């Protein structure tokens, strides 16, 4: 153990300390690379020994995310623990936090794992605008909720939805029964359909001392419900998204990087879609923007270090390499303005994130 100052929740990690990461996907991999640049070690906990983070981490423990005992054993070997995806069961996160500082804390998981809790928290506690929503547990609830919110609307499972999985758009009353059958019996939430002009996000960090630093607004384009491109800095950033993100971070007494996704309306109004208590795909552009990237920023926060600079020197367009897009790697690697990031996944599957590229323009 290498913590330099140990006052419970305020522990600051010295170089040589070990950060535990729950999850070993590409986000864990890029966090591990950033940690190694700062002289910190990483211990990955993943259900698979062949996960993308394994080749770049000092230690890997293989176990299930709901194996609380194994997670406590893992956490005992770490000076602080973080997570790279939001579906770590709350009991496991709490188990880890009973023996080691968990950053961000378990509350951020409780809130972001369940769309109903998340939207209620954002609206009632933080006081930010979200899409109209209703709790739905039966086809009867769904019919009533459709009457309240109007058509079109979006039915989503409360838990475990990502990249458009676990959601159905309802455009007419005739589609209600089929929508329910698609997702039932999972507890659901019905959301009003937001006729947004564009989708934007903010990636922001809060340090152990409460300092907050946000990256500029990023504009996101999705294809087939999966993020396709992120462009930063986005045009027309009046700073309100960063203020909303700061309010959310403070309410959660958060430590680390968070992604906040918004729908922006034609009049500029921002509606929060969801929060991700981790480094975020729409923040990958920061790796080649000439400032502290989001992975290093998260590691700095988790270690209790000062946050780094978030002012980009370049304008960057990030494009995800999804499925067989990655087969163009050799051509992409030839272009001097293109920075190639590959995740080391051996099997190409449709819809699978295999890597991304950052294309830079000379200045912001
Ligand atoms: P989510 O999994 O909630 O982030 O949704 C994935 C994508 O579906 C979003 O990025 C939007 O493009 C679209 N979407 C989700 N919810 C809504 C909504 N209430 N109104 C309009 N589009 C939505």
């Amino acid at each position: 153990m290498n913590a330099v100052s140990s006052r419970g929740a305020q522990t600051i990690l010295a170089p040589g300390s070990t950060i535990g990461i729950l999850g070993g996907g590409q986000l864990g991999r890029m966090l591990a690379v950033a940690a190694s640049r700062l002289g910190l070690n990483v211990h990955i906990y993943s259900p698979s020994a062949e996960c993308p983070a394994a080749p770049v981490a000092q230690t890997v423990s293989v176990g299930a995310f709901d194996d609380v005992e194994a997670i406590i054993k893992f956490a005992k070997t770490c000076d602080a623990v973080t997570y790279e995806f939001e579906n770590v069961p709350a009991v496991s996160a709490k188990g880890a936090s009973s023996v080691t500082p968990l950053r961000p804390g378990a509350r951020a998981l409780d809130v972001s794992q369940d769309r109903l809790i998340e939207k209620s928290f954002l609206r009632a506690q933080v006081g930010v605008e979200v899409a109209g929503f209703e709790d739905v547990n039966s086809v009867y609830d769904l019919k009533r909720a459709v009457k309240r919110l109007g058509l079109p609307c979006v039915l989503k499972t409360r838990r475990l939805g990502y990249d458009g999985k676990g959601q159905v758009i309802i455009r007419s009353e005739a589609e209600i029964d089929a929508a329910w059958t698609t997702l039932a019996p999972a507890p659901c939430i019905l959301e009003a359909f937001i006729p947004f002009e564009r989708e934007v996000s903010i990636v922001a960090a809060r340090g152990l001392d409460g300092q907050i630093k946000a990256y500029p607004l990023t504009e996101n384009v999705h294809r087939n419900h999966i993020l396709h491109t992120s462009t930063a800095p986005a045009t027309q950033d009046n700073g309100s998204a960063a203020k909303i993100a700061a309010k959310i971070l403070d309410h959660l007494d958060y430590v680390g990087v968070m992604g906040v996704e918004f729908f922006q309306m034609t009049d500029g109004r921002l509606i929060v879609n969801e929060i991700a208590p981790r480094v975020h795909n729409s923040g990958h552009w920061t790796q080649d923007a000439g400032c502290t990237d989001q992975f290093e920023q998260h590691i700095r926060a988790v270690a209790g270090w000062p946050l780094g600079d978030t002012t980009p020197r370049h304008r960057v367009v990030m494009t995800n390499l999804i499925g067989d897009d990655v087969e163009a790697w050799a051509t992409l690697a030839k272009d001097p303005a293109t920075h190639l990031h590959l995740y080391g996944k051996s099997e190409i599957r449709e819809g699978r994130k295999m890597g991304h590229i950052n294309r830079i323009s000379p200045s912001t």
Side-chain angles (χ1 to χ4, degrees), residues 115 156 167 191-194 196 199 222 263 273-274:
R115 292 183 194 274
K156 300 181 180 179
Q167 57 177 278
E191 288 179 20
F193 184 87
I194 306 297
F196 55 81
E199 292 188 84
H222 294 81
F263 301 127
N273 174 28
E274 63 182 5

Side-chain angles (χ1 to χ4, degrees), residues 77-147:
T77 70
C78 305
D79 297 293
V81 170
T82 189
Y83 39 87
E84 57 110 54
F85 83 132
E86 56 272 41
N87 291 317
V88 175
V91 289
S92 303
K94 283 167 193 159
S97 72
S98 67
V99 292
T100 300
L102 178 71
R103 298 171 183 163
R107 169 121 172 83
L109 288 176
D110 285 339
V111 166
S112 58
Q113 279 175 357
D114 182 319
R115 292 183 194 274
L116 183 64
I117 296 174
E118 179 180 48
K119 287 215 158 46
S120 309
F121 162 78
L122 290 168
R123 179 188 278 172
Q125 293 186 40
V126 188
V128 295
E129 193 177 353
V130 293
F133 65 94
E134 297 281 335
D135 186 12
V136 169
N137 294 295
S138 65
V139 73
Y140 169 78
D141 286 352
L142 179 57
K143 286 181 178 161
R144 198 177 46 178
V146 171
K147 282 211 170 69

